[in-house]
Amino acid sequence: AVSLRHGGIQKPIMLLQGVLDEHELATALKLHLEPVVHSEWQVDLIERAGEGLLSVWLKVNTGMHRLGVELDQASAIIDRLRAIPGVRIAGVMTHLACADQRDDPLSASQIKAIADLANAYELPFSAANSAGLVRYPDSHGSRVRPGIMLYGSSPFADRDASGMGLMPTQRLSARLIAINTVAAGGSVGYGATWTADRETRVGVVSIGYGDGYPRHAPNGTPVAVNGQRTQLVGRVSMDMLTVDLSTLPDARVGDEVELWGDVVSVDEVASLCGTISYELFCQITSRPRRVVDGQA
């Protein structure tokens, strides 16, 4: 939130975990942030701070059992917050636990609970994550909170991002730094997890798990060399990985290798790694150079 404010963003910013101490509360007041109150001790913290213009969101546990006051406590918390000079309740909010699941057992009751509370106190509400935004119009309330969709990925395991009109927002790429010919029967990488069944050109790419690419990506995980799809062969190392160039005779040292982006779907890579694209995005370290709209 501090980085966004310093970057010139003046829109309302909701702090989903709220503030943890007096210092963070002072920062929220100074920068006009909107902290979430999810526990009674945070109300105590705000009361002790004295006067100050502060907008807060009250988070209510409607079934996820992670953060949030219980529904039967919400009325008392709202009354306490309204009694603090300078404090305005911007709204009530909750988080949908199963909105991405086909047989969703919780969202309907969660949405009803938060909407009923909001109506009772004439407050706005916020509930929709990416999956809720797509599947449940009645979850939209006054403020939606898309996450994974902002990165061009689907929130659903059974729905492709492109089919939902989502486009990639980032590409992860590196360069070929060596090309080797591996004889039939030769193995590549730590643990000899891939063995050539015929003479094979293998490219070495300057990226690895030290950059955030998943170490457990299996043989056969797709990559693209100069826009042409091929696959990983051998185990991912800290600073390098190896790819099959047997169908790409024109590949040369220095050529670009896309790990995910326009040609290789990050959702496809994530599925082969047994995870979701969000985890892959979060794991990228500070080592890869960032380029935004052509500017490093």
Side-chain angles (χ1 to χ4, degrees):
V2 172
S3 296
L4 290 171
R5 281 285 186 257
H6 290 170
I9 302 300
Q10 297 304 316
K11 297 291 186 179
I13 297 177
M14 180 191 292
L15 294 173
L16 294 183
Q17 293 182 22
V19 294
L20 301 179
D21 54 35
E22 292 83 355
H23 173 74
E24 290 193 355
L25 178 57
T27 302
L29 285 163
K30 178 181 178 181
L31 298 180
H32 305 291
L33 308 177
E34 298 181 355
V36 164
V37 172
H38 57 73
S39 300
E40 195 163 1
W41 66 262
Q42 292 176 315
V43 183
D44 298 338
L45 180 68
I46 295 170
E47 285 177 334
R48 291 195 304 269
E51 294 189 13
L53 298 178
L54 182 70
S55 293
V56 300
W57 288 80
L58 177 63
K59 184 164 191 177
V60 180
N61 172 35
T62 58
M64 191 168 187
H65 297 286
R66 192 173 60 177
L67 291 178
V69 303
E70 297 302 319
L71 271 169
D72 59 4
Q73 300 172 340
S75 295
I77 298 295
I78 289 172
D79 290 341
R80 284 185 64 187
L81 288 170
R82 282 179 166 174
I84 303 173
V87 171
R88 180 183 73 92
I89 302 178
V92 292
M93 53 94 71
T94 195
H95 198 69
L96 302 180
C98 302
D100 60 331
Q101 297 180 13
R102 179 175 294 178
D103 300 320
D104 179 354
L106 280 177
S107 291
S109 62
Q110 287 190 278
I111 295 166
K112 183 179 185 305
I114 199 66
D116 286 350
L117 179 66
N119 290 334
Y121 285 90
E122 299 183 340
L123 289 168
F125 78 87
S126 174
N129 52 16
S130 292
L133 181 58
V134 174
R135 292 186 67 185
Y136 301 112
D138 55 344
S139 74
H140 292 182
S142 65
R143 190 178 297 186
V144 295
R145 308 192 308 272
I148 198 169
M149 289 176 66
L150 298 179
Y151 301 90
S153 289
S154 170
F156 306 107
D158 58 352
R159 295 182 65 180
D160 180 75
S162 61
M164 298 172 61
L166 300 173
M167 300 175 64
T169 62
Q170 62 178 266
R171 295 176 69 247
L172 179 64
S173 65
R175 298 284 177 180
L176 282 173
I177 59 172
I179 297 175
N180 303 314
T181 299
V182 179
S187 59
V188 173
Y190 288 119
T193 60
W194 180 86
T195 300
D197 57 9
R198 53 187 168 79
E199 185 175 277
T200 305
R201 290 178 82 228
V202 173
V204 181
V205 186
S206 60
I207 194 169
Y209 61 78
D211 303 285
Y213 190 82
R215 180 179 181 272
H216 55 285
N219 292 322
T221 299
V223 300
V225 179
N226 293 332
Q228 296 180 281
R229 284 172 64 100
T230 183
Q231 61 187 13
L232 295 186
V233 292
R235 184 177 295 167
V236 175
S237 302
M238 181 184 294
D239 308 307
M240 293 172 281
L241 53 80
T242 42
V243 300
D244 183 359
L245 298 179
S246 57
T247 61
L248 302 173
D250 295 329
R252 298 290 182 269
V253 168
D255 286 350
E256 183 185 65
V257 181
E258 179 188 285
L259 290 310
W260 61 68
D262 298 321
V263 178
V264 177
S265 165
V266 66
D267 291 323
E268 184 179 3
V269 176
S271 177
L272 288 167
C273 292
T275 186
I276 61 173
S277 58
Y278 230 160
E279 181 179 359
L280 300 188
F281 295 148
C282 292
Q283 286 180 342
I284 299 301
T285 68
S286 60
R287 298 201 323 182
R289 184 170 63 101
R290 270 67 169 172
V291 178
V292 181
D293 293 333
Q295 301 296 317

